[in-house]
Structure formats: structure tokens, C-alpha cells
Amino acid sequence: MKKRGEENQGDKVEDLSSHDAIEKLKELIKHNSICMFATRLADTPLETRPMSVAQVDDEGNLWFLSGKSTKKNEDIAIDSHVQLFFSNVSDQEYLSVYGMASIVNNKPKIKELWTPIAKAWFNEGVDDPDISAIKLEPENAFYWDTKSGRMISLIKILASAVTGKTLQEGVRGKLTV
């Protein structure tokens, strides 16, 4: 029986910090900016909803546009601990980010984050009275990355199954921003 943490023994472990961690975070999110955004982490089941990252800044903070009147903003006002789950199945990349969220009502920042697609949620555009930004400051982040994409990964899995050799496919690690 494998012990906790040994489920991917064949994976290379790359724990990254500072600039390298921020660059890896940006790389993973660039490939898939949609995450499941979980609030009220002490409650079960978790309150989750899909959200799109508007920006990863140079300090590693993740930014979102959100309605002031949403349940998500209400949840953050009660408990600022949040967890994000990213899954890029086509490239076999996965990311989990835990941190502290805050609601930001700064018009210049909202304008910086604005994209035309956001008009679907904020009919009055960047000046919509219900628009706010959420800033997530990561405390812990973990990633799993195959480095070779889905098709190559499947071929390697099949080859490993046929030969009986342990699969050494991915890279996993902790990101300390």
C-alpha cells in the first residue's frame, strides 16, 4: 500500500518559489484561465462556481471581475479563504491554488482587467455600478504537468502498461509565490 504523497512516485518534483513560481503560475493559467472558484471552505459541500482569471500580476496575485451583489462576494466578505481548481485536460495540466481573496473597488484596476466579453455580465460596461474586482493572494499552490501533452502521455501510459515499467511522465510541485 502506498503512503500519502506517493501516488505519483514516477513524477519529477519541482518545487518553485519567487519569480520561477510566478512564471509557472502564469504559464499554467495562460493555457486555461477557467477555474472552479471555491468559497466557504469550512462548509460542505463547497460553494464553487466557474470563473475566468482576468490577470496574473507580476507579484503572482490572481485577479477576477465579479459582481458586487454576487454570493461569491458575500462569501468572501464573511471568510476570505478561497481555493481555485484548474484543469487543462487537453495538455494534462492541473493546478490548485489556495489563498486569501479581497474585494477591490478600484476603477483604474477594473478598467485594466476589462475585456469586451465581460459585457455579458456587466451590461453597463466598465462603469457598471455592480462591477468589482477580486484579488487572490496565493498562500499555497500545487501543480501537476505532464510536459508532453495528452497524446504523448497516452502513448507513454500504454508503453508502460505493456513493458511493466513504472511510468515517469509528469512534473509536480509546490509553488511558493
Side-chain angles (χ1 to χ4, degrees), residues 85-163:
F85 302 99
F86 295 84
S87 176
N88 178 359
V89 178
S90 64
D91 287 331
Q92 299 292 300
E93 297 173 331
Y94 307 93
L95 175 66
S96 171
V97 180
Y98 169 82
M100 303 294 278
S102 57
I103 307 300
V104 177
N105 292 306
N106 176 300
K107 278 293 181 196
K109 186 62 180 183
I110 291 168
K111 286 180 181 179
E112 180 184 334
L113 300 174
W114 182 260
T115 62
I117 196 76
K119 191 157 173 85
W121 290 273
F122 305 102
N123 297 334
E124 296 181 40
V126 75
D127 294 316
D128 192 303
D130 192 46
I131 196 170
S132 68
I134 295 175
K135 175 184 179 183
L136 175 86
E137 298 179 50
E139 291 184 8
N140 289 302
F142 298 92
Y143 73 98
W144 300 263
D145 182 0
T146 63
K147 288 290 196 191
S148 54
R150 185 177 190 181
M151 289 306 296
I152 300 298
S153 294
L154 289 174
I155 292 167
K156 287 181 177 182
I157 290 168
L158 290 172
S160 179
V162 169
T163 64

Side-chain angles (χ1 to χ4, degrees), residues 28-47:
L28 292 169
I29 292 173
K30 177 179 72 175
H31 295 152
N32 184 32
S33 66
I34 305 295
C35 66
M36 290 303 292
F37 192 111
T39 56
R40 309 285 298 252
L41 301 180
D43 295 348
T44 349
L46 294 175
E47 287 278 341

Side-chain angles (χ1 to χ4, degrees), residues 75-92:
D75 289 349
I76 291 169
I78 294 168
D79 181 357
S80 61
H81 296 88
V82 301
Q83 183 95 33
L84 310 178
F85 302 99
F86 295 84
S87 176
N88 178 359
V89 178
S90 64
D91 287 331
Q92 299 292 300

Side-chain angles (χ1 to χ4, degrees), residues 11-82:
D11 291 347
K12 179 180 176 186
V13 177
E14 283 186 354
D15 291 341
L16 304 174
S17 61
S18 303
H19 176 74
D20 292 336
I22 293 169
E23 290 306 309
K24 185 65 173 181
L25 194 63
K26 286 181 177 182
E27 174 192 332
L28 292 169
I29 292 173
K30 177 179 72 175
H31 295 152
N32 184 32
S33 66
I34 305 295
C35 66
M36 290 303 292
F37 192 111
T39 56
R40 309 285 298 252
L41 301 180
D43 295 348
T44 349
L46 294 175
E47 287 278 341
T48 60
R49 72 281 291 155
M51 292 285 294
S52 179
V53 177
Q55 179 187 76
V56 180
D57 68 22
D58 291 336
E59 296 164 357
N61 300 308
L62 283 67
W63 290 87
F64 302 83
L65 289 176
S66 178
K68 291 178 183 177
S69 61
T70 63
K71 175 87 165 66
K72 165 183 16 57
N73 282 38
E74 180 183 307
D75 289 349
I76 291 169
I78 294 168
D79 181 357
S80 61
H81 296 88
V82 301

